[in-house]
Amino acid sequence: LFGAQGWPPGKVPVAFFTDANCPYCKVLEKRLFDMRDSGAPITLAWHELPLLGPNSARTARAILAARFLGREEAARAYLSQNALPPGPVGLRRLAEALDLLPGMLQREESSARVSRTLSDSMLLGGRLGIVGTPGTVIGRTLVIGAIREPDLTKLIEIEAAAPQTICS
């Protein structure tokens, strides 16, 4: 859920289930990046949940390919401002914007690990009951839908103050 980093001491993990074509996701994604970059005690884990059709699935695969090539945040920033054109042209434009070789991005986009990661996120989102985007898990709290900034800040404060408990 929270990725390899788990729940580091002093940080609240935030898992964000997103669709690149969801306008609310774009707003919340920027808010989360801004909060993290301004020192909020959070770590971010992203899960692609392309529920809005084939273009969402293509864009999710492109973002995951960028992740495995070390350019995920740059891809998210670019795709929050630009649509991904269909076919190889779109991947070529994205690769150029990310300073990647187009062939690398295209190969990674069609890789088994991108397919597996996307499938795992879809399965996890389904198990959590996330039927629409955005879906955000803040520590132990699941919110489905948009979150106002004051509410997000308050949830992070609540989760940061609560001791982490582990069932054994």
Side-chain angles (χ1 to χ4, degrees):
L1 179 63
F2 297 120
Q5 70 266 22
W7 190 317
K11 299 278 188 174
V12 174
V14 177
F16 185 55
F17 290 80
T18 181
D19 185 307
N21 292 312
C22 164
Y24 301 109
C25 293
K26 290 178 183 185
V27 170
L28 186 52
E29 181 173 281
K30 182 178 181 337
R31 185 172 294 148
L32 288 168
F33 278 136
D34 289 347
M35 290 178 82
R36 182 205 59 197
D37 294 346
S38 68
I42 59 174
T43 59
L44 302 174
W46 304 97
H47 295 277
E48 299 306 310
L49 203 59
L51 301 175
L52 298 176
N55 188 46
S56 292
R58 270 185 332 96
T59 305
R61 293 187 67 85
I63 289 169
L64 291 172
R67 172 185 296 175
F68 291 122
L69 295 171
R71 303 291 289 146
E72 179 178 11
E73 285 194 30
R76 289 185 182 287
Y78 177 82
L79 292 168
S80 73
Q81 302 296 316
N82 302 281
L84 183 67
V89 170
L91 288 177
R92 224 177 0 263
R93 283 187 193 162
L94 178 58
E96 289 168 6
L98 302 179
D99 293 323
L100 294 171
L101 296 173
M104 288 176 64
L105 188 64
Q106 288 174 328
R107 277 189 300 281
E108 193 61 51
E109 185 271 341
S110 62
S111 72
R113 70 180 173 170
V114 163
S115 296
R116 189 172 43 255
T117 301
L118 185 56
S119 176
D120 288 349
S121 288
M122 295 292 290
L123 181 62
L124 184 56
R127 286 186 176 167
L128 290 171
I130 300 172
V131 295
T133 56
T136 314
V137 180
I138 303 150
R140 293 161 288 237
T141 304
L142 170 63
V143 178
I144 299 174
I147 309 171
R148 295 178 327 120
E149 188 166 357
D151 296 333
L152 180 59
T153 300
K154 186 65 176 172
L155 279 172
I156 291 168
E157 289 171 2
I158 290 168
E159 289 293 335
Q164 180 184 2
T165 56
I166 299 172
C167 297
S168 54

